[in-house]
Structure formats: structure tokens, C-alpha cells
Amino acid sequence: MNKKFIIKTLGCKTNAIEGQIIADELFEMGYSEVKDYKSADIFVLNSCSVTSHSDSQCLYLLNRAKRENPLIKNILTGCVAQTLDLHKNFDTKNIDLILGNNEKLELKKYINKIFEDEKIKNAGDIFNIKEFNYKIVKNPYQTRPSIKIQEGCNNRCAYCIIPFARGNSRSNSIENVVSQINFLAQKGIKEVVLTGIHIGQWGLEWGLELVDLLCEIEKTNIIRYRLGSLYINEISAKMLEFLKNSEKFCPHFHLSLQSLCDKTLKNMNRNYCSSEAINIVNMLYNSFDEPFLGCDIIAGFPDESENDFKITFENLKSLPLSYIHAFPYSKRENTPAAKMKNQIKNSLKTKRVKLLNELCTIKHKEFLQRNKNKKHEILFERKSAKNGAYSAVTRNYIKVFIKDKRDDLRNTLKVVNMSEFSEIY
């Protein structure tokens, strides 16, 4: 009998890639995908554990699946599954199979046993995994698919549980990455996004740097590529010089800043200071023609005083940023930050996030205004069924919408003058 599955993936782009790999494996096993619990035989929850809220969300989804279909088999995988021993009071009664972040890429080894009413937990010690587990998405549905080039993280930021969910840094080989990119290019893909847990640590185990991989990507048949989130002090002078001269690189940076106050950065166990970060952001802006410069900022980290927040705010205000992704500090059990004194009230975190979001709106409008009369190459993506407008994206990550009666524009490129558009995003 043809079995059916439903899958829900939470969290980052890396998890999204792995969710597609899981789905591909289920298709190969003869499963078909459905959208509701009642008609599914199994429910795969590919979880995220970046905040404590994620635990509650996972429990809600697992319990809902069993409530709507008592016969469904629940599979919990991803970061919550890997760190389950660190999660207090996580009720596993409605889970039939638990797979860690490495084991989930080998789902077919375990899945049949759950239909024999055998509950299994298989989340090995992630720190024992030394090699990159190379799997690819064979038929990506995105116009700009992501390629996983790296796994894990060697840093130990005070607020973060992810190294315990993903292990130490492991790198995909140059040969694998290049092969995958050329495979996608042959299928007509014009742009790929290089992603991972900490891509700036790519190649460390071989004495290589990320720029060494980028040099090889430059030789592939892909037309455009962009980078996932980068640690600010891993953008070396060598890397910057290479990117400035690249014909394929999209000038779009998302920077993992988290704070621009030295005291807070020290408490976070970040290994750079605010002046270093400020210098690099300015250097990036001056090296490209209106690059997209986004960043992550945590508001209300333990012991962040009003003056500490003001320092971060004023430093951000002075920078040529395009976007600020601000979010409140979320207490994560079993991390050093959770035990720190002077935890900030939620109301104050909310107030600080609001101020950062208002600054973000100003910064983004200024960025769009500076691009208003420039020429940009756009990549057509989806066509809306509602109004027939295509969404498209520039190399520096501006989104536009174009109405066109043709049905064949998806995944094509065109140079346009941004003044043609009444609205850009």
C-alpha cells in the first residue's frame, strides 16, 4: 500500500535543505506527500532549537498530529531531537522515532521499524561526527536554491545551543560543491546561495579559507551566487579583494553582528570588538556599488544597560546598513547566558526591538532611494496567480514586481532601470 507523509521544517536554510533531502528519500521509498495529518501515515517534524519557544512549538505540532490522527507515526528530528537531553520536561509520549541531525539524512535505515510499534531514539553524540555527510537536493523547487557547504560551529557564544545540536565545523569538499553547482547550472539554474551553520569556518580542517572555495566556484557555469550569514571578522582582506573582482558574486552580505557594544560582545563571548565590526561594514560599503548590508542584532541580552543599548543603537545608526534583523534575547536553558545575572525584562526587550525595527525601516528606505535610478540585473522568480506579476530580485537583493503576459520568464535574467518601478522592496 502506498504510504503517505507530511513534513514540517522549522528554522534555518540549512534545515530547509535537509527537509528537502528527507522528502526526496521518502519519495524514493514510494511515499507520497500530503498536506493534512488525517490522511498521512507519518509526520516528520524537522525541528529548530534556536530559542526556547521552539520547544513549545514542536510539542504543539506533535500533539496536534496525534490528536487529529491517532494512528499517525510521529518522527522528531533536527536540533530539538539532537539536544533532547538538554530540554527540561519535553514530553516524548507522542513521538515514535527520534533521529539526530546526522541520522535524519539516513532516514530509510530506521523508518520501517516504527510500523512494528517499536519506539526508537537514535541521536548519537554529534561531536563524534568528523566528516561532512554529503547529500544533495536532486530536484530543488526554488529559483535560487541553497547549497549546503558546511555543517556545525566551533564557536561557543554564550547564548547559543546550536553547537550542541550540530557539532563542530565540518566542510563539504570543493569537488562536491562544484559538482552540485554545475549540475544545477545544467538544469537552467542561474543563481545559488551558499549556506551552512557557520560558513566562515569552511575549510578549517584542511587549512583552507572560504575564499579558496569561492575561487573554484568562479570557474563553474553558474551565473550568480550569494553567501549566507557571515561572521564579521571572517571577511579577510584577501576575501574582500576577491569578491570585489568577482563576476558571479552578488553583493549581498548578511552579517552576524549581534551587538555593537564592547561590553555586551564580551558577555556574549563574541571574538571581536565594535570598532572592528564598524570598520568592516564601512569597508564593505565602499568596496561595492550599493551592496545590501544586513545584520542580526540581539536586543536585551543579560546585563545590557540602557547605555549599552544606546551605544549599539548609535553605532548602527551611523552605518550604511540596508537592513537590521532585530530580535529579543531568548533565554536558552543550558547556555552560559541563561545563568547570567541581570536578566532583562521582556517589556524592555520589546521596547528595544521596536526602536531597532524603526531604525531598520529608515535604513532600508534610504538604501532603496539610493538605488532608485540605477540599472540592475534582475532574476525573475515566481509569477503570482492573483495578478500575473512576476517577482524578481537584483544582485544586491532588491525585490521588484513586473506584470508580464508571458509565461516563460521564470529563471531568466534582464537588465532594468530601477526608475521603471513605482515600488521596490
Side-chain angles (χ1 to χ4, degrees):
M1 184 176 67
N2 179 30
K3 287 188 169 65
K4 300 177 178 64
F5 75 94
I6 180 171
I7 185 169
K8 176 78 172 175
T9 293
L10 308 175
C12 64
K13 285 184 178 180
T14 298
N15 231 24
I17 294 170
E18 293 162 352
Q20 290 181 65
I21 292 169
I22 291 169
D24 282 349
E25 191 155 275
L26 288 168
F27 288 134
E28 289 177 4
M29 294 172 66
Y31 282 76
S32 56
E33 187 173 8
V34 295
K35 299 300 181 184
D36 63 288
Y37 298 116
K38 289 182 180 178
S39 56
D41 296 286
I42 66 169
F43 169 45
V44 182
L45 178 56
N46 188 22
S47 63
C48 169
S49 189
V50 72
T51 68
S52 55
H53 171 70
S54 306
D55 294 0
S56 301
Q57 188 178 13
C58 288
L59 279 172
Y60 169 78
L61 291 169
L62 293 163
N63 292 338
R64 178 185 172 187
K66 285 286 188 181
R67 186 170 62 249
E68 294 188 16
N69 181 358
L71 297 179
I72 202 169
K73 300 294 185 180
N74 278 341
I75 300 174
L76 174 65
T77 187
C79 292
V80 171
Q82 186 66 57
T83 58
L84 207 53
D85 292 341
L86 302 178
H87 298 261
K88 294 179 179 178
N89 304 318
F90 194 99
D91 190 352
T92 60
K93 68 180 180 183
N94 282 329
I95 306 173
D96 300 283
L97 175 61
I98 298 169
L99 293 177
N101 272 322
N102 198 57
E103 290 79 13
K104 71 179 174 185
L105 300 177
E106 314 288 345
L107 180 62
K108 60 186 175 184
K109 290 182 181 179
Y110 309 98
I111 195 167
N112 288 332
K113 292 182 180 178
I114 62 175
F115 293 102
E116 300 167 7
D117 291 326
E118 182 179 349
K119 291 198 173 189
I120 303 168
K121 178 183 177 183
N122 199 318
D125 185 348
I126 198 71
F127 291 108
N128 285 335
I129 307 297
K130 307 299 181 186
E131 301 293 328
F132 185 89
N133 194 341
Y134 178 57
K135 304 279 184 178
I136 67 169
V137 178
K138 295 171 184 173
N139 294 294
Y141 60 84
Q142 305 98 326
T143 308
R144 302 181 297 114
S146 295
I147 293 179
K148 184 179 171 183
I149 66 168
Q150 181 272 346
E151 173 66 279
C153 181
N154 292 345
N155 290 13
R156 297 295 181 266
C157 297
Y159 51 81
C160 187
I161 201 172
I162 297 305
F164 300 94
R166 292 285 182 171
N168 289 324
S169 182
R170 303 164 324 267
S171 307
N172 199 352
S173 71
I174 290 175
E175 294 76 18
N176 287 344
V177 175
V178 166
S179 173
Q180 191 174 354
I181 289 175
N182 282 331
F183 168 75
L184 292 170
Q186 287 171 4
K187 292 171 72 78
I189 295 296
K190 303 295 190 299
E191 178 184 312
V192 296
V193 182
L194 307 182
T195 192
I197 300 302
H198 190 145
I199 64 171
Q201 292 181 344
W202 180 91
L204 283 181
E205 63 265 57
W206 307 314
L208 298 176
E209 299 176 30
L210 179 58
V211 67
D212 296 310
L213 173 62
L214 302 184
C215 287
E216 298 304 316
I217 291 174
E218 202 74 17
K219 302 172 189 175
T220 67
N221 298 323
I222 204 70
I223 295 174
R224 306 181 354 174
Y225 70 85
R226 66 184 75 227
L227 301 174
S229 180
L230 287 168
Y231 223 69
I232 191 73
N233 60 350
E234 289 168 347
I235 304 172
S236 64
K238 177 183 175 183
M239 182 185 198
L240 183 56
E241 188 63 28
F242 171 82
L243 294 176
K244 281 167 57 177
N245 296 303
S246 169
E247 296 181 357
K248 300 178 183 290
F249 172 66
C250 295
H252 168 195
F253 295 90
H254 192 88
L255 307 168
S256 178
L257 292 183
Q258 312 308 351
S259 174
L260 283 178
C261 168
D262 287 341
K263 174 190 144 187
T264 305
L265 287 169
K266 185 177 180 181
N267 287 341
M268 290 178 169
N269 199 30
R270 307 286 285 181
N271 56 353
Y272 53 86
C273 63
S274 59
S275 61
E276 183 180 3
I278 289 166
N279 288 339
I280 292 173
V281 171
N282 283 320
M283 193 161 51
L284 289 173
Y285 182 75
N286 293 325
S287 297
F288 301 91
D289 182 15
E290 289 303 332
F292 183 99
L293 299 176
C295 69
D296 291 325
I297 296 291
I298 298 173
F301 190 76
D303 202 33
E304 182 187 63
S305 68
E306 281 297 324
N307 189 57
D308 297 334
F309 173 74
K310 184 178 179 182
I311 290 170
T312 288
F313 186 89
E314 292 300 323
N315 280 333
L316 290 169
K317 190 176 177 180
S318 71
L319 291 173
L321 294 165
S322 314
Y323 187 80
I324 301 167
H325 175 216
F327 50 98
Y329 165 72
S330 177
K331 192 174 183 179
R332 199 44 163 135
E333 295 299 331
N334 298 292
T335 61
K339 302 170 186 174
M340 288 181 179
K341 296 178 180 179
N342 299 328
Q343 297 284 328
I344 308 300
K345 292 180 180 178
N346 287 336
S347 58
L348 192 51
K349 294 178 195 175
T350 300
K351 179 183 174 183
R352 291 175 183 176
V353 168
K354 183 175 182 289
L355 290 171
L356 290 169
N357 285 340
E358 289 170 355
L359 179 60
C360 173
T361 299
I362 294 169
K363 290 287 184 184
H364 194 60
K365 283 182 179 178
E366 290 173 348
F367 167 68
L368 295 178
Q369 189 61 39
R370 293 195 299 267
N371 281 272
K372 201 74 172 171
N373 296 307
K374 290 183 177 290
K375 287 187 176 182
H376 281 299
E377 177 189 79
I378 59 172
L379 174 64
F380 288 90
E381 296 190 286
R382 291 168 294 280
K383 186 175 184 178
S384 170
K386 289 184 178 179
N387 60 13
Y390 277 97
S391 62
V393 63
T394 66
R395 284 181 176 251
N396 66 338
Y397 207 55
I398 297 173
K399 294 182 181 180
V400 298
F401 294 90
I402 303 175
K403 284 193 175 182
D404 198 295
K405 294 180 180 179
R406 289 173 290 176
D407 292 323
D408 59 350
L409 288 180
R410 187 177 187 271
N411 210 27
T412 61
L413 297 165
K414 181 182 179 181
V415 175
V416 296
N417 192 314
M418 300 302 281
S419 61
E420 296 175 24
F421 307 103
S422 57
E423 294 184 47
I424 56 179
Y425 302 90

